[in-house]
Amino acid sequence: MLQSITLIGLVVEFLILTVFGFLLRNQGFTLILTLLVCGCLAVVWRVLVCLLSAIVAGALRRAAGKALPFGNSVRAFRVELRAKMLSMSVLQPFHPLVIGAEPKNADPAMPPIVLVHGYVSNRGIWTWFRKQLQLAKPQAVIYTLTIEPVFGSIDACALQLAARLGEIGAQHPNQPITIIAHSMGGLMTRAYMRDCAIASRPHGLGKLICLGSPHAGSQFARFGFGTCAQDMGWKSPWILALQAFEVAHPLLLPIVCVYTLNDDLVYPAESGALVVHHPQSPHAVPGVEPNVENIAVSAVGHVSLLFSPDVMALVLKRL
């Protein structure tokens, strides 16, 4: 579904720019100047969208007394802009071409690694990350999933994740699955583990690595679309219910949470740390799960966590 949405968006943009280009040509613009102007317009609106979220997040951090150095913020914006433009304009619309097919006839004795995307994403967003991971671990069996519908609830996504993990588990019997999840994918995985606990069945996971997952929700989720955006709201009823369940049913597997202080989609950025909150006292922090490692990075944005060599190095050390 997301692939269709992004492809339609690119076609509409192309048609609009084509009409505008004809108008410029009728005004006497040369072909080269027309192409230059249209190309600049295509870049400018993407820059403005990315800049808006960065400015709002930066203003909120300053208001909270958590402002980051200017150079740090500029570098984060630069790498985030590149990551968003690449992922939304190329990698996700054309993911069957750029990332290729899922592993077939993989060695059943190899523990699989599963990459789970986040909100309004598909498997294409993992293109660079999977390539680097495969280069570092040539024998690894790596799966990249697309979980839809795009705007459905996180609980519905967790059910689909369960079905896919069941298929992967059947191909790798008795092998623990490592999940690397980006953004909402971390919440999706926690919901999957909750469902397994409720059904008294093993989740089959050996390790969970979250990248930029809003474990306590995000204030920016109010601007999103769909039930999943409501679920991801800052300390939303869904978030608090999940936390309450985990207080009673502790997560018993190693979890690594890497989050960026420059996040322009998850605010506050510290929501990327998995901390146990009691649902009746949202501001209290009784403690962190003993098996959870929270790692804060900076000078990188939300999407560019999946394009960062430094983040990749952190992940490789913990696999």
Side-chain angles (χ1 to χ4, degrees):
M1 181 180 178
L2 178 69
Q3 182 186 19
S4 299
I5 292 173
T6 52
L7 285 174
I8 291 172
L10 289 174
V11 170
V12 170
E13 180 187 17
F14 176 78
L15 292 176
I16 292 173
L17 291 176
T18 299
V19 172
F20 184 69
F22 277 117
L23 293 176
L24 292 180
R25 292 285 284 157
N26 289 336
Q27 294 298 316
F29 281 60
T30 65
L31 177 60
I32 293 178
L33 184 57
T34 298
L35 292 175
L36 181 62
V37 171
C38 291
C40 287
L41 287 175
V43 172
V44 165
W45 81 262
R46 289 169 168 81
V47 172
L48 291 176
V49 170
C50 191
L51 185 62
L52 177 61
S53 60
I55 289 174
V56 172
L60 290 172
R61 282 193 293 268
R62 284 193 297 273
K66 299 178 180 179
L68 298 169
F70 180 73
N72 177 289
S73 299
V74 169
R75 181 172 183 269
F77 174 76
R78 177 173 55 82
V79 297
E80 182 70 0
L81 175 63
R82 182 176 60 189
K84 285 180 177 176
M85 290 181 65
L86 183 61
S87 62
M88 292 306 297
S89 299
V90 179
L91 302 182
Q92 296 187 106
F94 304 102
H95 72 83
L97 298 176
V98 297
I99 197 171
E102 292 299 283
K104 292 183 178 179
N105 303 318
D107 184 352
M110 288 296 297
I113 299 173
V114 179
L115 309 182
V116 182
H117 64 76
Y119 179 67
V120 192
S121 297
N122 63 27
R123 59 191 293 267
I125 201 169
W126 290 104
T127 301
W128 182 90
F129 193 96
R130 189 178 82 163
K131 179 180 179 180
Q132 300 304 311
L133 190 58
Q134 198 76 75
L135 287 173
K137 293 184 172 294
Q139 303 304 317
V141 180
I142 306 169
Y143 295 88
T144 53
L145 312 183
T146 292
I147 305 295
E148 295 184 336
V150 176
F151 302 114
S153 68
I154 296 179
D155 289 334
C157 291
L159 291 175
Q160 190 173 148
L161 176 62
R164 291 292 287 114
L165 291 180
E167 295 170 357
I168 293 171
Q171 297 176 53
H172 301 268
N174 303 316
Q175 296 298 326
I177 297 173
T178 294
I179 285 185
I180 304 176
H182 178 239
S183 191
M184 190 183 78
L187 297 178
M188 198 187 307
T189 306
R190 288 170 60 197
Y192 159 73
M193 289 190 287
R194 175 207 61 198
D195 293 345
C196 289
I198 292 173
S200 298
R201 68 173 185 269
H203 51 62
L205 305 186
K207 180 174 292 186
L208 169 61
I209 300 177
C210 297
L211 306 177
S213 295
H215 291 298
S218 172
Q219 293 183 13
F220 286 155
R222 71 185 72 177
F223 304 113
F225 297 97
T227 305
C228 51
Q230 298 174 18
D231 293 342
M232 283 192 295
W234 173 244
K235 295 182 179 177
S236 69
W238 188 90
I239 291 284
L240 294 179
L242 180 62
Q243 291 176 344
F245 185 87
E246 291 171 346
V247 168
H249 304 80
L251 299 169
L252 300 178
L253 77 164
I255 300 176
V256 179
C257 298
V258 181
Y259 63 97
T260 172
L261 299 176
N262 296 92
D263 206 308
D264 63 328
L265 295 178
V266 174
Y267 185 85
E270 291 76 13
S271 177
L274 181 55
V275 179
V276 177
H277 292 265
H278 193 282
Q280 300 304 320
S281 181
H283 299 290
V285 184
V288 180
E289 290 284 351
N291 53 319
V292 175
E293 181 183 11
N294 293 313
I295 306 170
V297 299
S298 65
V300 62
H302 184 75
V303 175
S304 47
L305 283 166
L306 304 186
F307 297 83
S308 167
D310 293 337
V311 172
M312 172 58 68
L314 288 173
V315 170
L316 288 174
K317 287 180 181 178
R318 288 155 178 83
L319 284 177

